[in-house]
mmCIF file of all heavy atoms in Angstrom:
data_model
loop_
_atom_site.group_PDB
_atom_site.id
_atom_site.type_symbol
_atom_site.label_atom_id
_atom_site.label_comp_id
_atom_site.label_asym_id
_atom_site.label_seq_id
_atom_site.Cartn_x
_atom_site.Cartn_y
_atom_site.Cartn_z
ATOM 1 N N ASN A 150 -117.631 11.116 48.874
ATOM 2 C CA ASN A 150 -117.185 12.494 48.589
ATOM 3 C C ASN A 150 -115.728 12.699 48.539
ATOM 4 O O ASN A 150 -115.194 13.752 48.623
ATOM 5 C CB ASN A 150 -117.843 13.454 49.560
ATOM 6 C CG ASN A 150 -117.935 14.874 49.024
ATOM 7 O OD1 ASN A 150 -118.397 15.142 47.954
ATOM 8 N ND2 ASN A 150 -117.377 15.802 49.820
ATOM 9 N N LYS A 151 -114.988 11.514 48.460
ATOM 10 C CA LYS A 151 -113.498 11.540 48.523
ATOM 11 C C LYS A 151 -112.931 11.948 47.106
ATOM 12 O O LYS A 151 -113.462 11.589 46.091
ATOM 13 C CB LYS A 151 -112.980 10.252 49.014
ATOM 14 C CG LYS A 151 -113.127 9.976 50.434
ATOM 15 C CD LYS A 151 -112.185 8.839 50.895
ATOM 16 C CE LYS A 151 -112.632 7.519 50.307
ATOM 17 N NZ LYS A 151 -111.815 6.383 50.955
ATOM 18 N N GLY A 152 -111.728 12.490 47.188
ATOM 19 C CA GLY A 152 -110.886 12.594 46.032
ATOM 20 C C GLY A 152 -109.553 12.048 46.331
ATOM 21 O O GLY A 152 -108.966 12.314 47.464
ATOM 22 N N LEU A 153 -108.984 11.191 45.470
ATOM 23 C CA LEU A 153 -107.637 10.651 45.731
ATOM 24 C C LEU A 153 -106.692 11.134 44.709
ATOM 25 O O LEU A 153 -107.062 11.262 43.469
ATOM 26 C CB LEU A 153 -107.712 9.097 45.702
ATOM 27 C CG LEU A 153 -108.443 8.408 46.813
ATOM 28 C CD1 LEU A 153 -108.325 6.912 46.636
ATOM 29 C CD2 LEU A 153 -107.976 8.827 48.153
ATOM 30 N N VAL A 154 -105.475 11.471 45.026
ATOM 31 C CA VAL A 154 -104.410 11.869 44.139
ATOM 32 C C VAL A 154 -103.143 11.022 44.388
ATOM 33 O O VAL A 154 -102.925 10.632 45.495
ATOM 34 C CB VAL A 154 -104.084 13.384 44.140
ATOM 35 C CG1 VAL A 154 -105.258 14.231 43.753
ATOM 36 C CG2 VAL A 154 -103.671 13.754 45.559
ATOM 37 N N HIS A 155 -102.415 10.778 43.307
ATOM 38 C CA HIS A 155 -101.257 10.058 43.399
ATOM 39 C C HIS A 155 -100.169 10.600 42.482
ATOM 40 O O HIS A 155 -100.455 10.893 41.308
ATOM 41 C CB HIS A 155 -101.425 8.560 42.998
ATOM 42 C CG HIS A 155 -100.188 7.767 42.958
ATOM 43 N ND1 HIS A 155 -99.336 7.461 44.010
ATOM 44 C CD2 HIS A 155 -99.451 7.310 41.794
ATOM 45 C CE1 HIS A 155 -98.304 6.674 43.583
ATOM 46 N NE2 HIS A 155 -98.372 6.674 42.268
ATOM 47 N N VAL A 156 -98.974 11.020 42.980
ATOM 48 C CA VAL A 156 -97.944 11.721 42.340
ATOM 49 C C VAL A 156 -96.738 10.835 41.962
ATOM 50 O O VAL A 156 -96.286 9.964 42.770
ATOM 51 C CB VAL A 156 -97.418 12.869 43.097
ATOM 52 C CG1 VAL A 156 -96.386 13.696 42.301
ATOM 53 C CG2 VAL A 156 -98.580 13.747 43.514
ATOM 54 N N GLU A 157 -96.249 10.864 40.715
ATOM 55 C CA GLU A 157 -95.047 10.191 40.246
ATOM 56 C C GLU A 157 -94.193 11.203 39.475
ATOM 57 O O GLU A 157 -94.721 12.199 38.957
ATOM 58 C CB GLU A 157 -95.398 9.013 39.405
ATOM 59 C CG GLU A 157 -96.012 7.874 40.039
ATOM 60 C CD GLU A 157 -95.171 7.102 41.035
ATOM 61 O OE1 GLU A 157 -93.899 7.418 41.001
ATOM 62 O OE2 GLU A 157 -95.675 6.243 41.739
ATOM 63 N N LEU A 158 -92.875 10.909 39.461
ATOM 64 C CA LEU A 158 -91.914 11.711 38.736
ATOM 65 C C LEU A 158 -91.254 10.784 37.708
ATOM 66 O O LEU A 158 -90.802 9.724 38.106
ATOM 67 C CB LEU A 158 -90.842 12.333 39.671
ATOM 68 C CG LEU A 158 -90.151 13.582 39.246
ATOM 69 C CD1 LEU A 158 -91.098 14.731 38.918
ATOM 70 C CD2 LEU A 158 -89.195 13.999 40.321
ATOM 71 N N HIS A 159 -91.199 11.229 36.446
ATOM 72 C CA HIS A 159 -90.617 10.379 35.457
ATOM 73 C C HIS A 159 -90.007 11.149 34.348
ATOM 74 O O HIS A 159 -90.663 11.930 33.614
ATOM 75 C CB HIS A 159 -91.620 9.362 34.812
ATOM 76 C CG HIS A 159 -91.149 8.468 33.796
ATOM 77 N ND1 HIS A 159 -90.321 7.352 34.136
ATOM 78 C CD2 HIS A 159 -91.228 8.460 32.471
ATOM 79 C CE1 HIS A 159 -89.939 6.813 33.027
ATOM 80 N NE2 HIS A 159 -90.466 7.395 31.998
ATOM 81 N N ASP A 160 -88.641 11.079 34.181
ATOM 82 C CA ASP A 160 -88.049 11.645 32.912
ATOM 83 C C ASP A 160 -88.323 13.070 32.703
ATOM 84 O O ASP A 160 -88.616 13.506 31.635
ATOM 85 C CB ASP A 160 -88.352 10.765 31.700
ATOM 86 C CG ASP A 160 -87.382 11.013 30.566
ATOM 87 O OD1 ASP A 160 -86.224 11.455 30.899
ATOM 88 O OD2 ASP A 160 -87.714 10.706 29.396
ATOM 89 N N GLY A 161 -88.310 13.832 33.826
ATOM 90 C CA GLY A 161 -88.507 15.295 33.690
ATOM 91 C C GLY A 161 -89.959 15.788 33.753
ATOM 92 O O GLY A 161 -90.300 16.976 33.558
ATOM 93 N N TYR A 162 -90.905 14.830 33.951
ATOM 94 C CA TYR A 162 -92.277 15.199 34.040
ATOM 95 C C TYR A 162 -92.817 14.759 35.391
ATOM 96 O O TYR A 162 -92.458 13.684 35.937
ATOM 97 C CB TYR A 162 -93.105 14.507 32.925
ATOM 98 C CG TYR A 162 -92.870 15.104 31.592
ATOM 99 C CD1 TYR A 162 -91.845 14.656 30.722
ATOM 100 C CD2 TYR A 162 -93.630 16.144 31.147
ATOM 101 C CE1 TYR A 162 -91.627 15.152 29.510
ATOM 102 C CE2 TYR A 162 -93.366 16.702 29.856
ATOM 103 C CZ TYR A 162 -92.411 16.193 29.139
ATOM 104 O OH TYR A 162 -92.149 16.807 27.892
ATOM 105 N N VAL A 163 -93.856 15.574 35.937
ATOM 106 C CA VAL A 163 -94.556 15.168 37.123
ATOM 107 C C VAL A 163 -95.953 14.734 36.668
ATOM 108 O O VAL A 163 -96.594 15.430 35.844
ATOM 109 C CB VAL A 163 -94.657 16.313 38.172
ATOM 110 C CG1 VAL A 163 -95.222 17.574 37.592
ATOM 111 C CG2 VAL A 163 -95.361 15.858 39.423
ATOM 112 N N HIS A 164 -96.305 13.539 37.108
ATOM 113 C CA HIS A 164 -97.580 12.935 36.667
ATOM 114 C C HIS A 164 -98.463 12.814 37.948
ATOM 115 O O HIS A 164 -98.033 12.372 39.005
ATOM 116 C CB HIS A 164 -97.422 11.540 36.025
ATOM 117 C CG HIS A 164 -98.738 10.976 35.715
ATOM 118 N ND1 HIS A 164 -99.427 10.199 36.571
ATOM 119 C CD2 HIS A 164 -99.476 11.015 34.554
ATOM 120 C CE1 HIS A 164 -100.595 9.744 35.986
ATOM 121 N NE2 HIS A 164 -100.575 10.246 34.759
ATOM 122 N N ILE A 165 -99.739 13.247 37.828
ATOM 123 C CA ILE A 165 -100.627 13.153 38.904
ATOM 124 C C ILE A 165 -101.890 12.350 38.449
ATOM 125 O O ILE A 165 -102.562 12.779 37.467
ATOM 126 C CB ILE A 165 -101.161 14.537 39.443
ATOM 127 C CG1 ILE A 165 -99.930 15.426 39.739
ATOM 128 C CG2 ILE A 165 -101.908 14.428 40.731
ATOM 129 C CD1 ILE A 165 -99.627 16.412 38.640
ATOM 130 N N ALA A 166 -102.237 11.293 39.128
ATOM 131 C CA ALA A 166 -103.464 10.630 38.850
ATOM 132 C C ALA A 166 -104.521 11.147 39.904
ATOM 133 O O ALA A 166 -104.142 11.378 41.095
ATOM 134 C CB ALA A 166 -103.288 9.084 39.107
ATOM 135 N N SER A 167 -105.797 11.341 39.462
ATOM 136 C CA SER A 167 -106.789 11.898 40.320
ATOM 137 C C SER A 167 -108.059 11.172 40.061
ATOM 138 O O SER A 167 -108.345 10.880 38.868
ATOM 139 C CB SER A 167 -106.935 13.440 40.038
ATOM 140 O OG SER A 167 -108.040 13.891 40.668
ATOM 141 N N CYS A 168 -108.785 10.855 41.078
ATOM 142 C CA CYS A 168 -110.133 10.212 40.808
ATOM 143 C C CYS A 168 -111.155 10.676 41.868
ATOM 144 O O CYS A 168 -110.864 10.996 43.008
ATOM 145 C CB CYS A 168 -110.039 8.650 40.821
ATOM 146 S SG CYS A 168 -109.358 7.968 42.365
ATOM 147 N N ILE A 169 -112.406 10.798 41.359
ATOM 148 C CA ILE A 169 -113.555 11.257 42.187
ATOM 149 C C ILE A 169 -114.769 10.478 41.653
ATOM 150 O O ILE A 169 -114.743 9.948 40.551
ATOM 151 C CB ILE A 169 -113.854 12.700 42.078
ATOM 152 C CG1 ILE A 169 -114.258 13.213 40.684
ATOM 153 C CG2 ILE A 169 -112.716 13.546 42.679
ATOM 154 C CD1 ILE A 169 -114.746 14.598 40.560
ATOM 155 N N ASP A 170 -115.855 10.532 42.409
ATOM 156 C CA ASP A 170 -117.185 10.162 41.948
ATOM 157 C C ASP A 170 -117.839 11.350 41.292
ATOM 158 O O ASP A 170 -117.935 12.400 41.960
ATOM 159 C CB ASP A 170 -118.098 9.659 43.074
ATOM 160 C CG ASP A 170 -119.414 9.094 42.614
ATOM 161 O OD1 ASP A 170 -120.049 9.811 41.841
ATOM 162 O OD2 ASP A 170 -119.803 8.031 43.114
ATOM 163 N N ASN A 171 -118.160 11.337 40.022
ATOM 164 C CA ASN A 171 -118.591 12.512 39.323
ATOM 165 C C ASN A 171 -119.961 13.009 39.897
ATOM 166 O O ASN A 171 -120.204 14.269 39.854
ATOM 167 C CB ASN A 171 -118.737 12.259 37.824
ATOM 168 C CG ASN A 171 -119.749 11.146 37.550
ATOM 169 O OD1 ASN A 171 -119.538 9.991 37.920
ATOM 170 N ND2 ASN A 171 -120.876 11.405 36.853
ATOM 171 N N LEU A 172 -120.745 12.213 40.463
ATOM 172 C CA LEU A 172 -122.082 12.619 41.001
ATOM 173 C C LEU A 172 -121.990 13.066 42.441
ATOM 174 O O LEU A 172 -122.850 13.766 42.906
ATOM 175 C CB LEU A 172 -123.111 11.473 40.930
ATOM 176 C CG LEU A 172 -123.582 11.139 39.475
ATOM 177 C CD1 LEU A 172 -124.516 9.957 39.563
ATOM 178 C CD2 LEU A 172 -124.087 12.270 38.774
ATOM 179 N N VAL A 173 -120.949 12.687 43.206
ATOM 180 C CA VAL A 173 -120.779 13.111 44.568
ATOM 181 C C VAL A 173 -119.814 14.164 44.690
ATOM 182 O O VAL A 173 -120.188 15.378 44.736
ATOM 183 C CB VAL A 173 -120.519 11.835 45.461
ATOM 184 C CG1 VAL A 173 -120.595 12.203 46.904
ATOM 185 C CG2 VAL A 173 -121.412 10.732 45.206
ATOM 186 N N LYS A 174 -118.525 13.900 44.829
ATOM 187 C CA LYS A 174 -117.529 14.969 44.871
ATOM 188 C C LYS A 174 -117.547 15.875 43.689
ATOM 189 O O LYS A 174 -117.235 17.061 43.746
ATOM 190 C CB LYS A 174 -116.118 14.355 45.054
ATOM 191 C CG LYS A 174 -114.995 15.385 45.205
ATOM 192 C CD LYS A 174 -115.235 16.335 46.408
ATOM 193 C CE LYS A 174 -114.039 17.277 46.670
ATOM 194 N NZ LYS A 174 -114.359 18.330 47.566
ATOM 195 N N GLY A 175 -117.960 15.353 42.544
ATOM 196 C CA GLY A 175 -118.070 16.170 41.318
ATOM 197 C C GLY A 175 -119.379 16.876 41.168
ATOM 198 O O GLY A 175 -119.524 17.676 40.192
#
């Protein structure tokens, strides 16, 4: 039931990666 996020900053943009299990946390 976890969700993980990871943030990066690049050339004026903030990027966030996000992942979950679609059947559990989703």
